[in-house]
Amino acid sequence: MTKGIILLAAGGTGGHLFPAEALAHELKANGYSVHLVTDSRAERFAGKFPADEVHVVPSATIGSKNPIHVVRSLWTLWTGMRAARRLISRLRPKAVVGFGGYPTVPPLLAATGMGVPSMIHEQNAVMGRANKALASRVKAIAGGFLPEGTGAFAAKTVTTGNPVRPAVLEAAKVPYDAAAGETPFHLVVFGGSQGAQYFSKAVPQAICRLDDALRQRLKVTQQARPEDRDGVIATYEKLGVPADVSPFFTDMAERIADAQLVICRSGASTVSELAVIGRPAILVPYPYALDHDQAANAAAIAAKGGAKVIVQAELTAERLAGILADAMANPQSLAQMAAHARETGKPDAARLLASMVEAIASGLTVETFKEKRS
């Protein structure tokens, strides 16, 4: 017998789904049944998501100025909201929790309209468009990096941190291994679907410029888009550098744990996982983000000395080669960065967020929850 159903809504990318997955594990452990509303992009993550059922509800983003596209998007949203209302009527969830992305809009609009306790979780330091549209309607807002006590929704905002998956908590048990002397140096490189394209060019070019002795120590794990993969593999083979190159890794947490250095974008989940595992990183914020949220995310860990942040336009192959050479020559400096990164981690975020969800589901206000927490 479960305590009831909690309905989670998330866009179909890892950045939205990973914290939702972490919360789902915690809620299941607390005796709840968990259902997920998402889109078709989530299929590659579905195997590890502990949902009793996954539902796909029509949704769309209104990003086009073309009137025909706008009308189509509005119709899709209306259709999705009606479908979400039917779903909520059938499931009768105790609460509905949104994790950002346009697929969250119909279920959260339906939930708030039907009086179902609802809240959103914002992973980034800057609120995304979907969450911004829902913020005034929901009862509570949890934030990965959002500060409490400021902003238009300060009264109902709680900084919980970003929940990380069980695989990340397991990886956090692995101590950092500083690679001194001639020992192998594991470099992990990854980014979002757009970020990976830049790294597919920049990182191999940088490694080309390293001395042979340094290249012989390298072992690379790199995410690359399908259309870039063969070129990246060919370059590493030519250089004699062992490399595992793929568009997606299901065991990325374990690979990060094995890394001496990580080069990546600074999405909220990425920064949070790096901090919990405690690994030094070169963070290159995605430069075309509308709200520069990745730069804000990166600033949090960089301020504590757990990462270096470099603007993409300033990261030439020559500069990156110099950074890699310096890192490989100074293992203790990387070990200090790893320790500083871990100091910023919030491994307890899933537990705190689950407590907040349960409080909202039981009718408590955010103010009461904050008082109980303290």
Side-chain angles (χ1 to χ4, degrees), residues 14-15 18 145 162 164 190-192 256 262-277 281 283 294 297 301:
F18 287 162
F145 294 102
N162 284 315
V164 295
F190 63 97
I256 291 173
V262 177
I263 299 175
C264 59
R265 292 300 193 193
S266 51
S269 289
T270 295
V271 173
S272 299
E273 292 184 0
L274 283 172
V276 170
I277 298 172
L283 300 177
Q294 290 205 5
N297 298 339
I301 191 170

mmCIF file with all atom_site columns, all heavy atoms in Angstrom, residues 14-15 18 145 162 164 190-192 256 262-277 281 283 294 297 301:
data_model
loop_
_atom_site.group_PDB
_atom_site.id
_atom_site.type_symbol
_atom_site.label_atom_id
_atom_site.label_alt_id
_atom_site.label_comp_id
_atom_site.label_asym_id
_atom_site.label_entity_id
_atom_site.label_seq_id
_atom_site.pdbx_PDB_ins_code
_atom_site.Cartn_x
_atom_site.Cartn_y
_atom_site.Cartn_z
_atom_site.occupancy
_atom_site.B_iso_or_equiv
_atom_site.pdbx_formal_charge
_atom_site.auth_seq_id
_atom_site.auth_comp_id
_atom_site.auth_asym_id
_atom_site.auth_atom_id
_atom_site.pdbx_PDB_model_num
ATOM 1   N N   . GLY A 1 14  ? 18.537 15.231 -20.295 1.00 0.00 ? 14  GLY A N   1
ATOM 2   C CA  . GLY A 1 14  ? 19.151 14.809 -19.048 1.00 0.00 ? 14  GLY A CA  1
ATOM 3   C C   . GLY A 1 14  ? 19.113 15.880 -17.975 1.00 0.00 ? 14  GLY A C   1
ATOM 4   O O   . GLY A 1 14  ? 18.923 15.591 -16.798 1.00 0.00 ? 14  GLY A O   1
ATOM 5   N N   . GLY A 1 15  ? 19.303 17.146 -18.372 1.00 0.00 ? 15  GLY A N   1
ATOM 6   C CA  . GLY A 1 15  ? 19.304 18.237 -17.411 1.00 0.00 ? 15  GLY A CA  1
ATOM 7   C C   . GLY A 1 15  ? 18.013 18.344 -16.629 1.00 0.00 ? 15  GLY A C   1
ATOM 8   O O   . GLY A 1 15  ? 18.011 18.721 -15.458 1.00 0.00 ? 15  GLY A O   1
ATOM 9   N N   . PHE A 1 18  ? 17.407 14.092 -14.929 1.00 0.00 ? 18  PHE A N   1
ATOM 10  C CA  . PHE A 1 18  ? 18.274 13.533 -13.897 1.00 0.00 ? 18  PHE A CA  1
ATOM 11  C C   . PHE A 1 18  ? 17.849 13.953 -12.489 1.00 0.00 ? 18  PHE A C   1
ATOM 12  O O   . PHE A 1 18  ? 17.768 13.104 -11.592 1.00 0.00 ? 18  PHE A O   1
ATOM 13  C CB  . PHE A 1 18  ? 19.734 13.901 -14.154 1.00 0.00 ? 18  PHE A CB  1
ATOM 14  C CG  . PHE A 1 18  ? 20.353 13.144 -15.312 1.00 0.00 ? 18  PHE A CG  1
ATOM 15  C CD1 . PHE A 1 18  ? 21.509 13.596 -15.913 1.00 0.00 ? 18  PHE A CD1 1
ATOM 16  C CD2 . PHE A 1 18  ? 19.776 11.977 -15.792 1.00 0.00 ? 18  PHE A CD2 1
ATOM 17  C CE1 . PHE A 1 18  ? 22.084 12.903 -16.970 1.00 0.00 ? 18  PHE A CE1 1
ATOM 18  C CE2 . PHE A 1 18  ? 20.338 11.266 -16.854 1.00 0.00 ? 18  PHE A CE2 1
ATOM 19  C CZ  . PHE A 1 18  ? 21.493 11.737 -17.440 1.00 0.00 ? 18  PHE A CZ  1
ATOM 20  N N   . PHE A 1 145 ? 20.221 26.428 -7.580  1.00 0.00 ? 145 PHE A N   1
ATOM 21  C CA  . PHE A 1 145 ? 21.115 27.551 -7.311  1.00 0.00 ? 145 PHE A CA  1
ATOM 22  C C   . PHE A 1 145 ? 20.360 28.838 -6.999  1.00 0.00 ? 145 PHE A C   1
ATOM 23  O O   . PHE A 1 145 ? 20.971 29.854 -6.683  1.00 0.00 ? 145 PHE A O   1
ATOM 24  C CB  . PHE A 1 145 ? 22.035 27.799 -8.515  1.00 0.00 ? 145 PHE A CB  1
ATOM 25  C CG  . PHE A 1 145 ? 22.998 26.680 -8.789  1.00 0.00 ? 145 PHE A CG  1
ATOM 26  C CD1 . PHE A 1 145 ? 22.766 25.773 -9.815  1.00 0.00 ? 145 PHE A CD1 1
ATOM 27  C CD2 . PHE A 1 145 ? 24.136 26.513 -8.027  1.00 0.00 ? 145 PHE A CD2 1
ATOM 28  C CE1 . PHE A 1 145 ? 23.646 24.735 -10.083 1.00 0.00 ? 145 PHE A CE1 1
ATOM 29  C CE2 . PHE A 1 145 ? 25.024 25.482 -8.274  1.00 0.00 ? 145 PHE A CE2 1
ATOM 30  C CZ  . PHE A 1 145 ? 24.786 24.588 -9.308  1.00 0.00 ? 145 PHE A CZ  1
ATOM 31  N N   . ASN A 1 162 ? 20.483 20.734 -6.273  1.00 0.00 ? 162 ASN A N   1
ATOM 32  C CA  . ASN A 1 162 ? 19.981 19.860 -7.328  1.00 0.00 ? 162 ASN A CA  1
ATOM 33  C C   . ASN A 1 162 ? 20.141 18.398 -6.924  1.00 0.00 ? 162 ASN A C   1
ATOM 34  O O   . ASN A 1 162 ? 21.255 17.953 -6.633  1.00 0.00 ? 162 ASN A O   1
ATOM 35  C CB  . ASN A 1 162 ? 20.748 20.097 -8.635  1.00 0.00 ? 162 ASN A CB  1
ATOM 36  C CG  . ASN A 1 162 ? 20.324 21.373 -9.314  1.00 0.00 ? 162 ASN A CG  1
ATOM 37  O OD1 . ASN A 1 162 ? 19.135 21.664 -9.428  1.00 0.00 ? 162 ASN A OD1 1
ATOM 38  N ND2 . ASN A 1 162 ? 21.290 22.162 -9.766  1.00 0.00 ? 162 ASN A ND2 1
ATOM 39  N N   . VAL A 1 164 ? 20.864 14.605 -7.085  1.00 0.00 ? 164 VAL A N   1
ATOM 40  C CA  . VAL A 1 164 ? 21.705 13.812 -7.985  1.00 0.00 ? 164 VAL A CA  1
ATOM 41  C C   . VAL A 1 164 ? 21.292 12.351 -7.890  1.00 0.00 ? 164 VAL A C   1
ATOM 42  O O   . VAL A 1 164 ? 20.822 11.886 -6.854  1.00 0.00 ? 164 VAL A O   1
ATOM 43  C CB  . VAL A 1 164 ? 23.207 13.977 -7.664  1.00 0.00 ? 164 VAL A CB  1
ATOM 44  C CG1 . VAL A 1 164 ? 23.651 15.408 -7.911  1.00 0.00 ? 164 VAL A CG1 1
ATOM 45  C CG2 . VAL A 1 164 ? 23.523 13.559 -6.235  1.00 0.00 ? 164 VAL A CG2 1
ATOM 46  N N   . PHE A 1 190 ? 32.614 16.235 -22.088 1.00 0.00 ? 190 PHE A N   1
ATOM 47  C CA  . PHE A 1 190 ? 31.219 16.073 -22.514 1.00 0.00 ? 190 PHE A CA  1
ATOM 48  C C   . PHE A 1 190 ? 30.506 17.421 -22.506 1.00 0.00 ? 190 PHE A C   1
ATOM 49  O O   . PHE A 1 190 ? 30.949 18.381 -21.894 1.00 0.00 ? 190 PHE A O   1
ATOM 50  C CB  . PHE A 1 190 ? 30.473 15.064 -21.628 1.00 0.00 ? 190 PHE A CB  1
ATOM 51  C CG  . PHE A 1 190 ? 30.338 15.454 -20.186 1.00 0.00 ? 190 PHE A CG  1
ATOM 52  C CD1 . PHE A 1 190 ? 29.186 16.063 -19.721 1.00 0.00 ? 190 PHE A CD1 1
ATOM 53  C CD2 . PHE A 1 190 ? 31.356 15.179 -19.278 1.00 0.00 ? 190 PHE A CD2 1
ATOM 54  C CE1 . PHE A 1 190 ? 29.042 16.400 -18.380 1.00 0.00 ? 190 PHE A CE1 1
ATOM 55  C CE2 . PHE A 1 190 ? 31.231 15.514 -17.935 1.00 0.00 ? 190 PHE A CE2 1
ATOM 56  C CZ  . PHE A 1 190 ? 30.069 16.135 -17.496 1.00 0.00 ? 190 PHE A CZ  1
ATOM 57  N N   . GLY A 1 191 ? 29.389 17.467 -23.205 1.00 0.00 ? 191 GLY A N   1
ATOM 58  C CA  . GLY A 1 191 ? 28.553 18.667 -23.262 1.00 0.00 ? 191 GLY A CA  1
ATOM 59  C C   . GLY A 1 191 ? 27.165 18.264 -23.686 1.00 0.00 ? 191 GLY A C   1
ATOM 60  O O   . GLY A 1 191 ? 26.889 17.095 -23.922 1.00 0.00 ? 191 GLY A O   1
ATOM 61  N N   . GLY A 1 192 ? 26.283 19.240 -23.778 1.00 0.00 ? 192 GLY A N   1
ATOM 62  C CA  . GLY A 1 192 ? 24.943 18.956 -24.274 1.00 0.00 ? 192 GLY A CA  1
ATOM 63  C C   . GLY A 1 192 ? 24.985 18.631 -25.749 1.00 0.00 ? 192 GLY A C   1
ATOM 64  O O   . GLY A 1 192 ? 26.059 18.586 -26.370 1.00 0.00 ? 192 GLY A O   1
ATOM 65  N N   . ILE A 1 256 ? 33.217 9.930  -14.665 1.00 0.00 ? 256 ILE A N   1
ATOM 66  C CA  . ILE A 1 256 ? 33.656 11.155 -13.991 1.00 0.00 ? 256 ILE A CA  1
ATOM 67  C C   . ILE A 1 256 ? 34.462 10.802 -12.745 1.00 0.00 ? 256 ILE A C   1
ATOM 68  O O   . ILE A 1 256 ? 35.488 11.418 -12.449 1.00 0.00 ? 256 ILE A O   1
ATOM 69  C CB  . ILE A 1 256 ? 32.445 12.039 -13.635 1.00 0.00 ? 256 ILE A CB  1
ATOM 70  C CG1 . ILE A 1 256 ? 31.810 12.611 -14.909 1.00 0.00 ? 256 ILE A CG1 1
ATOM 71  C CG2 . ILE A 1 256 ? 32.855 13.182 -12.703 1.00 0.00 ? 256 ILE A CG2 1
ATOM 72  C CD1 . ILE A 1 256 ? 30.512 13.350 -14.674 1.00 0.00 ? 256 ILE A CD1 1
ATOM 73  N N   . VAL A 1 262 ? 38.002 17.026 -15.905 1.00 0.00 ? 262 VAL A N   1
ATOM 74  C CA  . VAL A 1 262 ? 36.802 17.030 -16.741 1.00 0.00 ? 262 VAL A CA  1
ATOM 75  C C   . VAL A 1 262 ? 36.743 18.350 -17.499 1.00 0.00 ? 262 VAL A C   1
ATOM 76  O O   . VAL A 1 262 ? 37.017 19.423 -16.939 1.00 0.00 ? 262 VAL A O   1
ATOM 77  C CB  . VAL A 1 262 ? 35.526 16.879 -15.883 1.00 0.00 ? 262 VAL A CB  1
ATOM 78  C CG1 . VAL A 1 262 ? 34.274 16.949 -16.752 1.00 0.00 ? 262 VAL A CG1 1
ATOM 79  C CG2 . VAL A 1 262 ? 35.560 15.564 -15.099 1.00 0.00 ? 262 VAL A CG2 1
ATOM 80  N N   . ILE A 1 263 ? 36.405 18.274 -18.783 1.00 0.00 ? 263 ILE A N   1
ATOM 81  C CA  . ILE A 1 263 ? 36.137 19.468 -19.578 1.00 0.00 ? 263 ILE A CA  1
ATOM 82  C C   . ILE A 1 263 ? 34.687 19.359 -20.036 1.00 0.00 ? 263 ILE A C   1
ATOM 83  O O   . ILE A 1 263 ? 34.306 18.364 -20.658 1.00 0.00 ? 263 ILE A O   1
ATOM 84  C CB  . ILE A 1 263 ? 37.063 19.569 -20.812 1.00 0.00 ? 263 ILE A CB  1
ATOM 85  C CG1 . ILE A 1 263 ? 38.527 19.647 -20.373 1.00 0.00 ? 263 ILE A CG1 1
ATOM 86  C CG2 . ILE A 1 263 ? 36.708 20.794 -21.660 1.00 0.00 ? 263 ILE A CG2 1
ATOM 87  C CD1 . ILE A 1 263 ? 39.511 19.617 -21.538 1.00 0.00 ? 263 ILE A CD1 1
ATOM 88  N N   . CYS A 1 264 ? 33.878 20.366 -19.742 1.00 0.00 ? 264 CYS A N   1
ATOM 89  C CA  . CYS A 1 264 ? 32.459 20.230 -20.056 1.00 0.00 ? 264 CYS A CA  1
ATOM 90  C C   . CYS A 1 264 ? 31.747 21.577 -20.045 1.00 0.00 ? 264 CYS A C   1
ATOM 91  O O   . CYS A 1 264 ? 32.326 22.604 -19.685 1.00 0.00 ? 264 CYS A O   1
ATOM 92  C CB  . CYS A 1 264 ? 31.784 19.294 -19.050 1.00 0.00 ? 264 CYS A CB  1
ATOM 93  S SG  . CYS A 1 264 ? 31.924 19.847 -17.335 1.00 0.00 ? 264 CYS A SG  1
ATOM 94  N N   . ARG A 1 265 ? 30.487 21.557 -20.451 1.00 0.00 ? 265 ARG A N   1
ATOM 95  C CA  . ARG A 1 265 ? 29.601 22.696 -20.297 1.00 0.00 ? 265 ARG A CA  1
ATOM 96  C C   . ARG A 1 265 ? 29.232 22.820 -18.820 1.00 0.00 ? 265 ARG A C   1
ATOM 97  O O   . ARG A 1 265 ? 29.635 21.986 -17.995 1.00 0.00 ? 265 ARG A O   1
ATOM 98  C CB  . ARG A 1 265 ? 28.336 22.499 -21.148 1.00 0.00 ? 265 ARG A CB  1
ATOM 99  C CG  . ARG A 1 265 ? 28.570 22.532 -22.657 1.00 0.00 ? 265 ARG A CG  1
ATOM 100 C CD  . ARG A 1 265 ? 29.160 23.835 -23.110 1.00 0.00 ? 265 ARG A CD  1
ATOM 101 N NE  . ARG A 1 265 ? 29.097 23.982 -24.576 1.00 0.00 ? 265 ARG A NE  1
ATOM 102 C CZ  . ARG A 1 265 ? 29.764 24.908 -25.236 1.00 0.00 ? 265 ARG A CZ  1
ATOM 103 N NH1 . ARG A 1 265 ? 30.530 25.774 -24.582 1.00 0.00 ? 265 ARG A NH1 1
ATOM 104 N NH2 . ARG A 1 265 ? 29.668 24.997 -26.563 1.00 0.00 ? 265 ARG A NH2 1
ATOM 105 N N   . SER A 1 266 ? 28.444 23.834 -18.488 1.00 0.00 ? 266 SER A N   1
ATOM 106 C CA  . SER A 1 266 ? 28.122 24.064 -17.072 1.00 0.00 ? 266 SER A CA  1
ATOM 107 C C   . SER A 1 266 ? 26.622 24.115 -16.842 1.00 0.00 ? 266 SER A C   1
ATOM 108 O O   . SER A 1 266 ? 26.106 25.019 -16.188 1.00 0.00 ? 266 SER A O   1
ATOM 109 C CB  . SER A 1 266 ? 28.792 25.340 -16.564 1.00 0.00 ? 266 SER A CB  1
ATOM 110 O OG  . SER A 1 266 ? 28.532 26.438 -17.417 1.00 0.00 ? 266 SER A OG  1
ATOM 111 N N   . GLY A 1 267 ? 25.915 23.114 -17.417 1.00 0.00 ? 267 GLY A N   1
ATOM 112 C CA  . GLY A 1 267 ? 24.514 22.945 -17.082 1.00 0.00 ? 267 GLY A CA  1
ATOM 113 C C   . GLY A 1 267 ? 24.371 22.654 -15.598 1.00 0.00 ? 267 GLY A C   1
ATOM 114 O O   . GLY A 1 267 ? 25.321 22.192 -14.945 1.00 0.00 ? 267 GLY A O   1
ATOM 115 N N   . ALA A 1 268 ? 23.203 22.912 -15.053 1.00 0.00 ? 268 ALA A N   1
ATOM 116 C CA  . ALA A 1 268 ? 23.004 22.798 -13.612 1.00 0.00 ? 268 ALA A CA  1
ATOM 117 C C   . ALA A 1 268 ? 23.284 21.393 -13.088 1.00 0.00 ? 268 ALA A C   1
ATOM 118 O O   . ALA A 1 268 ? 23.956 21.210 -12.066 1.00 0.00 ? 268 ALA A O   1
ATOM 119 C CB  . ALA A 1 268 ? 21.586 23.221 -13.261 1.00 0.00 ? 268 ALA A CB  1
ATOM 120 N N   . SER A 1 269 ? 22.755 20.376 -13.775 1.00 0.00 ? 269 SER A N   1
ATOM 121 C CA  . SER A 1 269 ? 22.977 18.999 -13.323 1.00 0.00 ? 269 SER A CA  1
ATOM 122 C C   . SER A 1 269 ? 24.453 18.646 -13.401 1.00 0.00 ? 269 SER A C   1
ATOM 123 O O   . SER A 1 269 ? 24.989 17.975 -12.502 1.00 0.00 ? 269 SER A O   1
ATOM 124 C CB  . SER A 1 269 ? 22.162 18.025 -14.177 1.00 0.00 ? 269 SER A CB  1
ATOM 125 O OG  . SER A 1 269 ? 20.791 18.134 -13.888 1.00 0.00 ? 269 SER A OG  1
ATOM 126 N N   . THR A 1 270 ? 25.123 19.083 -14.450 1.00 0.00 ? 270 THR A N   1
ATOM 127 C CA  . THR A 1 270 ? 26.546 18.800 -14.609 1.00 0.00 ? 270 THR A CA  1
ATOM 128 C C   . THR A 1 270 ? 27.351 19.383 -13.459 1.00 0.00 ? 270 THR A C   1
ATOM 129 O O   . THR A 1 270 ? 28.166 18.697 -12.831 1.00 0.00 ? 270 THR A O   1
ATOM 130 C CB  . THR A 1 270 ? 27.055 19.381 -15.938 1.00 0.00 ? 270 THR A CB  1
ATOM 131 O OG1 . THR A 1 270 ? 26.427 18.703 -17.020 1.00 0.00 ? 270 THR A OG1 1
ATOM 132 C CG2 . THR A 1 270 ? 28.563 19.230 -16.063 1.00 0.00 ? 270 THR A CG2 1
ATOM 133 N N   . VAL A 1 271 ? 27.134 20.659 -13.161 1.00 0.00 ? 271 VAL A N   1
ATOM 134 C CA  . VAL A 1 271 ? 27.871 21.321 -12.075 1.00 0.00 ? 271 VAL A CA  1
ATOM 135 C C   . VAL A 1 271 ? 27.572 20.645 -10.742 1.00 0.00 ? 271 VAL A C   1
ATOM 136 O O   . VAL A 1 271 ? 28.477 20.406 -9.933  1.00 0.00 ? 271 VAL A O   1
ATOM 137 C CB  . VAL A 1 271 ? 27.523 22.821 -12.020 1.00 0.00 ? 271 VAL A CB  1
ATOM 138 C CG1 . VAL A 1 271 ? 28.148 23.481 -10.790 1.00 0.00 ? 271 VAL A CG1 1
ATOM 139 C CG2 . VAL A 1 271 ? 28.001 23.530 -13.287 1.00 0.00 ? 271 VAL A CG2 1
ATOM 140 N N   . SER A 1 272 ? 26.315 20.299 -10.522 1.00 0.00 ? 272 SER A N   1
ATOM 141 C CA  . SER A 1 272 ? 25.929 19.662 -9.263  1.00 0.00 ? 272 SER A CA  1
ATOM 142 C C   . SER A 1 272 ? 26.575 18.289 -9.118  1.00 0.00 ? 272 SER A C   1
ATOM 143 O O   . SER A 1 272 ? 27.051 17.922 -8.033  1.00 0.00 ? 272 SER A O   1
ATOM 144 C CB  . SER A 1 272 ? 24.405 19.536 -9.185  1.00 0.00 ? 272 SER A CB  1
ATOM 145 O OG  . SER A 1 272 ? 23.796 20.808 -9.231  1.00 0.00 ? 272 SER A OG  1
ATOM 146 N N   . GLU A 1 273 ? 26.616 17.513 -10.197 1.00 0.00 ? 273 GLU A N   1
ATOM 147 C CA  . GLU A 1 273 ? 27.204 16.172 -10.134 1.00 0.00 ? 273 GLU A CA  1
ATOM 148 C C   . GLU A 1 273 ? 28.716 16.247 -9.956  1.00 0.00 ? 273 GLU A C   1
ATOM 149 O O   . GLU A 1 273 ? 29.298 15.464 -9.203  1.00 0.00 ? 273 GLU A O   1
ATOM 150 C CB  . GLU A 1 273 ? 26.815 15.384 -11.387 1.00 0.00 ? 273 GLU A CB  1
ATOM 151 C CG  . GLU A 1 273 ? 25.325 15.052 -11.423 1.00 0.00 ? 273 GLU A CG  1
ATOM 152 C CD  . GLU A 1 273 ? 24.916 14.181 -12.605 1.00 0.00 ? 273 GLU A CD  1
ATOM 153 O OE1 . GLU A 1 273 ? 25.787 13.828 -13.417 1.00 0.00 ? 273 GLU A OE1 1
ATOM 154 O OE2 . GLU A 1 273 ? 23.719 13.850 -12.696 1.00 0.00 ? 273 GLU A OE2 1
ATOM 155 N N   . LEU A 1 274 ? 29.368 17.185 -10.636 1.00 0.00 ? 274 LEU A N   1
ATOM 156 C CA  . LEU A 1 274 ? 30.808 17.366 -10.463 1.00 0.00 ? 274 LEU A CA  1
ATOM 157 C C   . LEU A 1 274 ? 31.133 17.705 -9.010  1.00 0.00 ? 274 LEU A C   1
ATOM 158 O O   . LEU A 1 274 ? 32.121 17.224 -8.450  1.00 0.00 ? 274 LEU A O   1
ATOM 159 C CB  . LEU A 1 274 ? 31.317 18.495 -11.364 1.00 0.00 ? 274 LEU A CB  1
ATOM 160 C CG  . LEU A 1 274 ? 31.487 18.191 -12.854 1.00 0.00 ? 274 LEU A CG  1
ATOM 161 C CD1 . LEU A 1 274 ? 31.792 19.481 -13.597 1.00 0.00 ? 274 LEU A CD1 1
ATOM 162 C CD2 . LEU A 1 274 ? 32.607 17.181 -13.076 1.00 0.00 ? 274 LEU A CD2 1
ATOM 163 N N   . ALA A 1 275 ? 30.290 18.551 -8.404  1.00 0.00 ? 275 ALA A N   1
ATOM 164 C CA  . ALA A 1 275 ? 30.527 18.969 -7.026  1.00 0.00 ? 275 ALA A CA  1
ATOM 165 C C   . ALA A 1 275 ? 30.345 17.815 -6.051  1.00 0.00 ? 275 ALA A C   1
ATOM 166 O O   . ALA A 1 275 ? 31.157 17.627 -5.137  1.00 0.00 ? 275 ALA A O   1
ATOM 167 C CB  . ALA A 1 275 ? 29.589 20.121 -6.668  1.00 0.00 ? 275 ALA A CB  1
ATOM 168 N N   . VAL A 1 276 ? 29.298 17.022 -6.234  1.00 0.00 ? 276 VAL A N   1
ATOM 169 C CA  . VAL A 1 276 ? 29.052 15.901 -5.322  1.00 0.00 ? 276 VAL A CA  1
ATOM 170 C C   . VAL A 1 276 ? 30.150 14.842 -5.453  1.00 0.00 ? 276 VAL A C   1
ATOM 171 O O   . VAL A 1 276 ? 30.657 14.325 -4.457  1.00 0.00 ? 276 VAL A O   1
ATOM 172 C CB  . VAL A 1 276 ? 27.660 15.282 -5.579  1.00 0.00 ? 276 VAL A CB  1
ATOM 173 C CG1 . VAL A 1 276 ? 27.496 13.976 -4.813  1.00 0.00 ? 276 VAL A CG1 1
ATOM 174 C CG2 . VAL A 1 276 ? 26.566 16.265 -5.165  1.00 0.00 ? 276 VAL A CG2 1
ATOM 175 N N   . ILE A 1 277 ? 30.548 14.536 -6.688  1.00 0.00 ? 277 ILE A N   1
ATOM 176 C CA  . ILE A 1 277 ? 31.621 13.548 -6.896  1.00 0.00 ? 277 ILE A CA  1
ATOM 177 C C   . ILE A 1 277 ? 32.967 14.133 -6.491  1.00 0.00 ? 277 ILE A C   1
ATOM 178 O O   . ILE A 1 277 ? 33.845 13.434 -5.985  1.00 0.00 ? 277 ILE A O   1
ATOM 179 C CB  . ILE A 1 277 ? 31.641 13.072 -8.367  1.00 0.00 ? 277 ILE A CB  1
ATOM 180 C CG1 . ILE A 1 277 ? 30.325 12.368 -8.712  1.00 0.00 ? 277 ILE A CG1 1
ATOM 181 C CG2 . ILE A 1 277 ? 32.812 12.112 -8.618  1.00 0.00 ? 277 ILE A CG2 1
ATOM 182 C CD1 . ILE A 1 277 ? 30.168 12.023 -10.192 1.00 0.00 ? 277 ILE A CD1 1
ATOM 183 N N   . ALA A 1 281 ? 37.428 20.641 -12.839 1.00 0.00 ? 281 ALA A N   1
ATOM 184 C CA  . ALA A 1 281 ? 36.840 20.792 -14.175 1.00 0.00 ? 281 ALA A CA  1
ATOM 185 C C   . ALA A 1 281 ? 37.238 22.108 -14.823 1.00 0.00 ? 281 ALA A C   1
ATOM 186 O O   . ALA A 1 281 ? 37.461 23.120 -14.140 1.00 0.00 ? 281 ALA A O   1
ATOM 187 C CB  . ALA A 1 281 ? 35.316 20.695 -14.095 1.00 0.00 ? 281 ALA A CB  1
ATOM 188 N N   . LEU A 1 283 ? 35.250 24.456 -17.050 1.00 0.00 ? 283 LEU A N   1
ATOM 189 C CA  . LEU A 1 283 ? 33.869 24.693 -17.452 1.00 0.00 ? 283 LEU A CA  1
ATOM 190 C C   . LEU A 1 283 ? 33.828 25.741 -18.564 1.00 0.00 ? 283 LEU A C   1
ATOM 191 O O   . LEU A 1 283 ? 34.404 26.823 -18.426 1.00 0.00 ? 283 LEU A O   1
ATOM 192 C CB  . LEU A 1 283 ? 33.038 25.168 -16.257 1.00 0.00 ? 283 LEU A CB  1
ATOM 193 C CG  . LEU A 1 283 ? 32.949 24.201 -15.070 1.00 0.00 ? 283 LEU A CG  1
ATOM 194 C CD1 . LEU A 1 283 ? 32.163 24.836 -13.931 1.00 0.00 ? 283 LEU A CD1 1
ATOM 195 C CD2 . LEU A 1 283 ? 32.314 22.882 -15.490 1.00 0.00 ? 283 LEU A CD2 1
ATOM 196 N N   . GLN A 1 294 ? 24.187 29.109 -17.805 1.00 0.00 ? 294 GLN A N   1
ATOM 197 C CA  . GLN A 1 294 ? 25.343 28.253 -17.560 1.00 0.00 ? 294 GLN A CA  1
ATOM 198 C C   . GLN A 1 294 ? 26.503 29.033 -16.943 1.00 0.00 ? 294 GLN A C   1
ATOM 199 O O   . GLN A 1 294 ? 27.237 28.513 -16.102 1.00 0.00 ? 294 GLN A O   1
ATOM 200 C CB  . GLN A 1 294 ? 25.782 27.553 -18.849 1.00 0.00 ? 294 GLN A CB  1
ATOM 201 C CG  . GLN A 1 294 ? 24.812 26.492 -19.323 1.00 0.00 ? 294 GLN A CG  1
ATOM 202 C CD  . GLN A 1 294 ? 25.480 25.435 -20.188 1.00 0.00 ? 294 GLN A CD  1
ATOM 203 O OE1 . GLN A 1 294 ? 26.695 25.409 -20.380 1.00 0.00 ? 294 GLN A OE1 1
ATOM 204 N NE2 . GLN A 1 294 ? 24.686 24.526 -20.713 1.00 0.00 ? 294 GLN A NE2 1
ATOM 205 N N   . ASN A 1 297 ? 25.683 29.305 -13.321 1.00 0.00 ? 297 ASN A N   1
ATOM 206 C CA  . ASN A 1 297 ? 25.896 28.026 -12.634 1.00 0.00 ? 297 ASN A CA  1
ATOM 207 C C   . ASN A 1 297 ? 27.377 27.809 -12.350 1.00 0.00 ? 297 ASN A C   1
ATOM 208 O O   . ASN A 1 297 ? 27.765 27.380 -11.262 1.00 0.00 ? 297 ASN A O   1
ATOM 209 C CB  . ASN A 1 297 ? 25.398 26.860 -13.490 1.00 0.00 ? 297 ASN A CB  1
ATOM 210 C CG  . ASN A 1 297 ? 23.915 26.916 -13.768 1.00 0.00 ? 297 ASN A CG  1
ATOM 211 O OD1 . ASN A 1 297 ? 23.158 27.563 -13.061 1.00 0.00 ? 297 ASN A OD1 1
ATOM 212 N ND2 . ASN A 1 297 ? 23.492 26.225 -14.812 1.00 0.00 ? 297 ASN A ND2 1
ATOM 213 N N   . ILE A 1 301 ? 30.611 27.244 -8.394  1.00 0.00 ? 301 ILE A N   1
ATOM 214 C CA  . ILE A 1 301 ? 31.675 26.294 -8.048  1.00 0.00 ? 301 ILE A CA  1
ATOM 215 C C   . ILE A 1 301 ? 33.058 26.917 -8.259  1.00 0.00 ? 301 ILE A C   1
ATOM 216 O O   . ILE A 1 301 ? 33.997 26.640 -7.516  1.00 0.00 ? 301 ILE A O   1
ATOM 217 C CB  . ILE A 1 301 ? 31.509 24.978 -8.857  1.00 0.00 ? 301 ILE A CB  1
ATOM 218 C CG1 . ILE A 1 301 ? 32.438 23.892 -8.324  1.00 0.00 ? 301 ILE A CG1 1
ATOM 219 C CG2 . ILE A 1 301 ? 31.725 25.195 -10.338 1.00 0.00 ? 301 ILE A CG2 1
ATOM 220 C CD1 . ILE A 1 301 ? 32.151 22.518 -8.904  1.00 0.00 ? 301 ILE A CD1 1
#
